[in-house]
Structure formats: C-alpha cells, structure tokens
Amino acid sequence: MAALNYHHLRYFWVIATESNLTRAAERLHVSQSALSIQLRKLEESLGQALFERDGKRLVLTEAGRIALDYANAIFRTGDELFSLMHNRPVGAQQVLRIGAVATLSRNFQLQMLKPLLGQAQIELVLRSGSLRDLLAQMHTHTLDLVLSNRPVPRDAEINWHSHLLDEQPVSLIGKPSPDAEPFQFPEDLRWASLLLPSVESEIRAAFDFILEQAGIRPRVLAEVDDMAMLRLLCRESGNLALVPPVVVQDELESGMLVERCRIPGLKERFYAITPSRRFPNALVRELLLGSKKEEVTP
C-alpha cells in the first residue's frame, strides 16, 4: 500500500489556497512544470482528480475538497504538536459547513444546531444568503448542507435531496391588549394593518390565496424577507405580523407578544438540502438522523 507523500500534500494545499498554479509555484519557489508533476503524482496516488480548470482558475473537485479538509487537519495537527511542546495545547476539530436562507427562522436554526453546540471537536461554519447562492456554494463543495423553507427540485445535472425536518403552524402575532376581542379570521383582516413576509415566501403565497378566496385585501404596512427583522418590527410597531410562532417564541413566552390567530391549514416547512456525494460529511448524516422526518421530491 502506497504511503501518503506529505511533501506532495503541502504542494497541493498551496495550490488550493492560491487557486492558481503560477502563483502557487511563485510562493513555493519552484517551477510551474515541477509543481504540476508533484500534483499529478499526488492525484495518481489518491486515484482521484483534485482540480478541474475554470478558465485560468483551478477549482477543487469534490475529492479535492475532501483532500483539502484532510490537509488542513493534518497541518493543524502539526501545529498542535508544536503548541503542545510549548504548553499551549489545542484540540483537533471536524468541520461542518452549513448555509441557511435569509428568510429562515433563527430560532429554528438554533434548535436544529443545538446538539452540535458545545462539542469541542466540531467547528461549525454558518453562512446566510439566497437559496440560489447557497446551492451554488454547495455545488462547488464549500457547503455541506443548506437549510431552507422550501424543497429543491432535482434536475439532470445535480441530484439534490430535500429532507423534511419539521413543519410549524403560522399565526398572526401582535402585542397583548386587555381590551382585544377574540380575533375573527378572516373577517377582522378587512381592518387590520399587517407585516408580511415577502412575496417570494411560500407562506405569503398561501396566505394571499386564502384572503383572495375570501375577497379580502388587507392593508400591508411592510413586506420583509428576513424573519429576524419581521420579528423586530412586530415587537416595536404594535401591528400584526404573519410568522410561525417559533420565530417569536421568546417574546411569546415572556408575554411581550401574543398569538392572536392561528391560520387554518397554513404551515411553514423546514428542509435540509443535500447533494449526492461520493464522500459525504459524516456530521451531516448525524445531524439528519436526529432531525429528519422524510425526504421530499418536489
């Protein structure tokens, strides 16, 4: 069995860091041709291509991303040895990279990630953005998992998997009022002023459909694509907000806000999106086993 050449691995690590063979060669003070030979030897020993070309850039393949993770861990272990000898011990960690769409409840994310928090051997990398941007990052192997409030269709190029994690009711939330009458849905919405998720939201589309069927057009004060901001506006404005109660669970528990009306038949669903990979991150499987309800094919 061939032994790993750590000299080749160091060269690979520099190339991956620079994403460019010329710059890596200059940094290592070797010729570009010599560096290419060393990289090819490493790929041959591993039996996997580690890079693919994108114009003048070198982009890591899935195997390359795995190799880079191990290279980082190997060189970090070397740093740990040095630190240990100088009475500065540090611990090795596994890395889990998670993206979450900006519209997703922060409280739900916290509940999802709570089993991993406080584990010294796990490093979490959390990123937020649009679903399209996060899927693009996962396609290039810079994310292991994307949390979303809608499933992703499979296509011919990428076999996405949408794992249903949970579903929550959706309610109209507002400040408490001792004189408030019981809310009559949907009739009372004829006079209400609302804070709503943006039109891109699935719960907003379903809510609009319900009101259209009832012939009601409420006054919309704000459309917000960030649940954290919707939560703050609800707290500060005194107007009703359409949100899953999990978004404002702290305020509901403290009495700062109250649930005025639960919308019949309306739910928000939470998904973990993963790609098909030959080398899946073991932490993803561990996380899904504790949370997943089912896999969904849109």
Side-chain angles (χ1 to χ4, degrees):
M1 181 176 178
L4 179 64
N5 188 311
Y6 291 95
H7 186 66
H8 293 166
L9 190 65
R10 174 66 73 175
Y11 279 11
F12 157 74
W13 183 86
V14 174
I15 297 170
T17 303
E18 296 291 343
S19 298
N20 181 278
L21 205 60
T22 302
R23 290 197 301 268
E26 292 173 353
R27 179 173 164 183
L28 292 165
H29 305 293
V30 298
S31 69
Q32 186 172 329
S33 60
L35 189 56
S36 295
I37 292 170
Q38 302 305 315
L39 174 60
R40 188 163 60 249
K41 287 181 178 179
L42 178 62
E43 290 179 323
E44 289 172 354
S45 68
L46 295 177
Q48 302 287 339
L50 302 178
F51 292 99
E52 56 187 18
R53 286 201 171 273
D54 181 10
K56 294 184 178 180
R57 294 179 64 248
L58 289 175
V59 179
L60 287 167
T61 62
E62 182 183 350
R65 170 58 58 183
I66 300 298
L68 181 59
D69 285 345
Y70 274 94
N72 285 329
I74 288 168
F75 298 137
R76 186 163 54 236
T77 301
D79 293 338
E80 290 172 9
L81 175 61
F82 185 83
S83 296
L84 183 62
M85 293 299 119
H86 290 81
N87 297 315
R88 296 193 303 271
V90 293
Q93 292 178 310
Q94 295 175 273
V95 179
L96 179 61
R97 301 174 180 84
I98 298 176
V101 296
T103 57
L104 203 66
S105 162
R106 302 297 191 270
N107 285 333
F108 171 76
Q109 294 179 49
L110 181 59
Q111 290 177 8
M112 169 79 176
L113 300 175
K114 192 172 289 185
L116 301 180
L117 298 177
Q119 296 191 38
Q121 74 276 19
I122 297 176
E123 176 187 348
L124 288 175
V125 177
L126 305 177
R127 297 189 180 120
S128 179
S130 69
L131 182 57
R132 175 179 294 182
D133 289 343
L134 295 173
L135 290 177
Q137 292 181 53
M138 191 158 62
H139 184 45
T140 57
H141 314 296
T142 56
L143 288 177
D144 301 305
L145 174 78
V146 170
L147 298 176
S148 171
N149 43 20
R150 67 175 188 263
V152 177
R154 298 180 180 181
D155 58 38
E157 182 183 2
I158 306 170
N159 193 17
W160 300 119
H161 299 280
S162 298
H163 310 271
L164 179 61
L165 302 175
D166 197 7
E167 54 184 21
Q168 297 278 341
V170 178
S171 301
L172 290 169
I173 305 292
K175 287 190 173 181
S177 173
D179 302 324
E181 297 288 334
F183 197 91
Q184 302 299 315
F185 180 85
E187 285 301 316
D188 284 353
L189 290 176
R190 295 184 187 277
W191 304 278
S193 297
L194 300 181
L195 308 167
L196 297 178
S198 67
V199 292
E200 288 80 16
S201 164
E202 289 198 349
I203 62 171
R204 170 65 185 279
F207 182 72
D208 286 350
F209 180 75
I210 292 172
L211 296 196
E212 182 180 342
Q213 295 295 102
I216 294 174
R217 298 188 65 181
R219 183 185 176 204
V220 180
L221 291 183
E223 297 181 348
V224 186
D225 66 0
D226 186 311
M227 281 293 175
M229 179 55 71
L230 194 57
R231 171 188 181 184
L232 291 176
L233 289 175
C234 183
R235 284 170 44 179
E236 301 301 323
S237 72
N239 297 109
L240 294 177
L242 181 73
V243 294
V246 68
V247 172
V248 290
Q249 64 182 14
D250 294 339
E251 288 81 0
L252 292 175
E253 290 171 1
S254 69
M256 181 183 296
L257 296 173
V258 295
E259 187 179 24
R260 295 297 310 281
C261 172
R262 183 161 293 188
I263 310 301
L266 186 56
K267 294 182 180 295
E268 178 164 40
R269 293 174 174 83
F270 302 96
Y271 299 90
I273 313 299
T274 60
S276 290
R277 285 188 175 160
R278 294 177 59 194
F279 311 105
N281 189 322
L283 291 175
V284 170
R285 185 173 182 273
E286 178 182 331
L287 195 62
L288 291 180
L289 282 176
S291 308
K292 175 180 169 183
K293 285 190 173 183
E294 60 182 285
E295 185 173 334
V296 177
T297 302

